[in-house]
Amino acid sequence: MGKKLVMVPANEVDLSEVEYKPEVIQAPHMAGLSLKLYVMLIEAPLIGSLIISYLKKQNKMAGMLRNTVIPETPMFKPEFPPLEPEPGVVGLEEDGKPEDRVELALKCLPHYDAATCSNPVTPDYEHPVGSVKNELTTTGKRLTTVPEPSFSILFQMPSKLLSGTNDFPKSFHNDRTTRNPHAYERYTGGSSSGPAAIVASGLCSAALGTDGGGSIRIPSSLCGVVGLKTTYGRTDMRGSICDAGTVEVIGPIASNVEDVMLVYSAILGSSPADRISLRPSPPCLPNLSSYESSDALGSLRLGKYTEWFNDVFSTDISQKCDNILALLLEKHGCKTIDIVIPELHEMRLAHLVSIGSESLCVLTPDCEDGKDVKLTYDTRTNLALFQSFTASDYVAAQCLRRRVMYHHMEIFQKVDVIVTPTTGMTAPEIPPNALKFGETDLQVTVNLMRFIIAPNLLGFPAISVPVGYDKQGLPIGLQLIGRPWGEASILRLAAAVEDLCAEPKKRPQTFYETLKRN
């Protein structure tokens, strides 16, 4: 076979020989004018291809995609079996009216007496939350009703907080940067940075985001709010930018788990094509007000890959997340089981090629029309990389996707939920010289995206729940990854995590009491 590497079949991988290796990216860190000049070079016809080829060689991309024999057949979109019925859940009618599903979802929530609330605000910072339906109202802790999926409520955003359509590390439009409500000089996380920022800052109770590479969970973690990425195919993507993609979904961002449940119940619904190809299990919610739900919580097995879990920029992150796991065992009996996840590097590469190819497919027509000059320089560096992928690279990535799916489905034979920090670092600082032309720092991107790839590449549901703050007062998120169609399990667990967080949520530096009672 010459220089080619031949991988053993996925079912023959010896987990006892798997060694965790932290990922180090070989790429320049640039901001400001140097980034602008760099983009001019990589977009040049000859020198650009040489630079990209060198970077790919440094990061061992070509070897895996072109010099490796992968025995598995390609999997061009997630494939998984239906979920077995879960205890303590309430089924939702996928074809019913959104408002009917929301009414049923309200009955799944614990009883709440609004009269005990003296000063409700949004989000849930030491006080219960208000709600919104076509106008701002004060109604207690949770959303009492939510509009149908097509609703829109427009705010005049304060320029100090929100001045840009996205954010680092995956922004598209070349505009100003969304600021983190907790620290004005720090990033909000991308790419659904605006929705996370407006929820965290009190401008609304809930918003929608899209998640193709952690784009709901990352900004939710960095802003201290809750973000749900649903199972691939659980929500209809028609009308979104990547509506024909295989890694991206639409999902809710809200100030607490209960509000996420209500918005999720309103927007769910598989497309006709996905119902045929994916055979989704009927959607359901955990009945948080029943004793059966409490029993179901206690039986959950949590999978933790310790070396990966602890690979974080600050030990504040792993310690906060570990504390919650200890409390889940102490208060509810949730057992943590050690697991090993092989081929993490291969998983990241397969995701990069998949989301890169799908993003390129969407953006190419506009780029051909000369609109690429409106993109951020960071995005243009990514597009230069994506354009270097070949058809054979894409097929190889989908073969890797099938391998990684096998490994994870084997893990889900032993555990119900995989637990990780949401991000490997808290909100990074915005360098002053990045304000005009932007920044590219792929090592920071890796730190932010370290734990979020599997749900996108493999289509699993996942949720980020705030669990405290680091020593700088920046929010930390815990990620819960569930089985396919297992939204009820991770929502049940997320609600328990939220209740166990003894540390009260702190109001961000930038906060607007739009729902404060007169």
Side-chain angles (χ1 to χ4, degrees):
M1 298 296 291
K3 296 181 179 179
K4 287 189 176 294
L5 170 69
V6 180
M7 301 182 78
V8 300
N11 62 356
E12 296 180 12
V13 172
D14 186 351
L15 296 183
S16 66
E17 296 183 357
V18 173
E19 180 181 356
Y20 180 76
K21 297 180 179 179
E23 186 172 24
V24 179
I25 292 294
Q26 302 294 331
H29 172 205
M30 288 173 291
L33 185 59
S34 62
L35 175 59
K36 181 179 180 179
L37 296 175
Y38 178 70
V39 171
M40 293 174 61
L41 288 175
I42 63 172
E43 290 182 343
L46 180 59
I47 192 171
S49 61
L50 293 175
I51 293 173
I52 293 297
S53 178
Y54 174 77
L55 289 175
K56 291 171 69 175
K57 183 178 180 180
Q58 287 291 99
N59 291 284
K60 301 178 181 179
M61 292 185 186
M64 175 55 62
L65 295 172
R66 301 184 184 180
N67 298 320
T68 301
V69 176
I70 306 170
E72 283 72 27
T73 58
M75 183 171 69
F76 293 104
K77 64 191 304 186
E79 301 171 6
F80 25 64
L83 183 70
E84 294 296 323
E86 300 177 83
V89 299
V90 173
L92 300 175
E93 179 52 56
E94 196 168 9
D95 294 321
K97 295 181 179 180
E99 54 266 39
D100 293 340
R101 293 198 297 265
V102 172
E103 286 297 323
L104 189 57
L106 281 167
K107 298 177 182 178
C108 295
L109 304 182
H111 174 71
Y112 170 71
D113 183 4
T116 62
C117 172
S118 59
N119 183 26
V121 293
T122 296
D124 195 9
Y125 300 116
E126 302 176 353
H127 297 286
V129 181
S131 69
V132 57
K133 180 182 180 183
N134 299 327
E135 61 182 359
L136 296 178
T137 59
T138 302
T139 55
K141 183 179 180 182
R142 58 176 80 100
L143 295 172
T144 54
T145 57
V146 297
E148 294 194 20
S150 60
F151 80 97
S152 66
I153 300 171
L154 304 180
F155 295 89
Q156 182 64 40
M157 300 302 177
S159 59
K160 178 182 178 184
L161 175 66
L162 298 176
S163 54
T165 58
N166 294 313
D167 190 37
F168 179 91
K170 301 193 310 172
S171 55
F172 279 169
H173 196 268
N174 193 10
D175 206 337
R176 289 171 290 174
T177 297
T178 306
R179 303 305 187 99
N180 193 310
H182 287 270
Y184 180 65
E185 74 284 358
R186 292 180 181 269
Y187 285 113
T188 306
S191 59
S192 298
S193 53
I198 63 174
V199 171
S201 63
L203 287 169
C204 67
S205 295
L208 297 182
T210 56
D211 195 317
S215 297
I216 287 174
R217 289 161 288 152
I218 291 172
S220 295
S221 178
L222 268 51
C223 292
V225 293
V226 182
L228 172 65
K229 182 239 172 249
T230 64
T231 305
Y232 175 78
R234 180 63 88 191
T235 53
D236 194 338
M237 292 293 293
R238 286 178 294 181
S240 66
I241 293 179
C242 291
D243 56 0
T246 66
V247 298
E248 188 168 14
V249 303
I250 295 173
I253 298 173
S255 55
N256 57 55
V257 175
E258 293 180 6
D259 284 358
V260 161
M261 288 174 60
L262 297 177
V263 179
Y264 164 66
S265 66
I267 68 173
L268 65 83
S270 302
S271 68
D274 285 337
R275 293 192 197 188
I276 294 173
S277 61
L278 297 175
R279 298 176 294 123
S281 298
C284 57
L285 290 175
N287 189 352
L288 300 180
S289 61
S290 74
Y291 291 107
E292 186 181 11
S293 181
S294 179
D295 292 339
L297 180 64
S299 66
L300 288 179
R301 300 162 298 170
L302 314 181
K304 175 188 175 186
Y305 186 10
T306 301
E307 291 177 287
W308 188 40
F309 189 100
N310 292 334
D311 185 10
V312 290
F313 192 74
S314 167
T315 55
D316 293 348
I317 298 173
S318 53
Q319 287 174 358
K320 289 288 184 183
C321 293
D322 263 329
N323 290 343
I324 289 296
L325 298 184
L327 286 173
L328 285 170
L329 173 61
E330 178 185 345
K331 302 294 184 180
H332 299 288
C334 302
K335 295 181 180 179
T336 300
I337 297 174
D338 288 329
I339 60 172
V340 172
I341 306 177
E343 302 181 0
L344 288 173
H345 172 71
E346 289 80 355
M347 177 175 71
R348 297 185 193 104
L349 183 57
H351 174 263
L352 175 65
V353 175
S354 298
I355 194 173
S357 301
E358 292 169 11
S359 299
L360 188 66
C361 181
V362 171
L363 293 174
T364 293
D366 287 330
C367 292
E368 293 293 329
D369 288 342
K371 297 178 181 177
D372 54 329
V373 295
K374 296 184 178 181
L375 301 174
T376 63
Y377 289 114
D378 180 41
T379 299
R380 288 165 67 176
T381 63
N382 290 335
L383 289 181
L385 171 62
F386 299 160
Q387 288 168 347
S388 72
F389 296 142
T390 66
S392 62
D393 292 338
Y394 184 79
V395 174
Q398 307 320 303
C399 294
L400 292 175
R401 191 195 314 226
R402 188 174 294 279
R403 289 181 65 89
V404 177
M405 178 67 86
Y406 173 84
H407 295 317
H408 280 76
M409 293 308 291
E410 285 294 293
I411 291 170
F412 279 124
Q413 296 290 326
K414 305 171 185 176
V415 303
D416 303 291
V417 176
I418 297 173
V419 292
T420 73
T422 305
T423 59
M425 66 186 305
T426 51
E429 291 187 14
I430 305 172
N433 62 341
L435 294 177
K436 186 173 183 180
F437 296 117
E439 177 187 19
T440 178
D441 188 343
L442 293 185
Q443 189 56 54
V444 168
T445 302
V446 167
N447 287 334
L448 291 175
M449 297 180 66
R450 175 163 295 123
F451 304 106
I452 55 83
I453 298 299
N456 292 116
L457 182 66
L458 307 179
F460 300 151
I463 190 169
S464 177
V465 190
V467 292
Y469 305 87
D470 66 7
K471 291 182 177 65
Q472 302 176 84
L474 300 172
I476 294 171
L478 176 71
Q479 177 180 228
L480 311 173
I481 303 173
R483 291 191 180 99
W485 316 118
E487 285 84 0
S489 290
I490 61 173
L491 286 168
R492 189 195 319 278
L493 187 59
V497 168
E498 195 171 61
D499 288 340
L500 290 172
C501 288
E503 191 173 2
K505 288 186 179 181
K506 296 188 294 187
R507 290 189 179 185
Q509 294 177 6
T510 305
F511 186 77
Y512 302 87
E513 293 196 39
T514 54
L515 302 183
K516 185 175 181 180
R517 180 176 296 165
N518 292 331

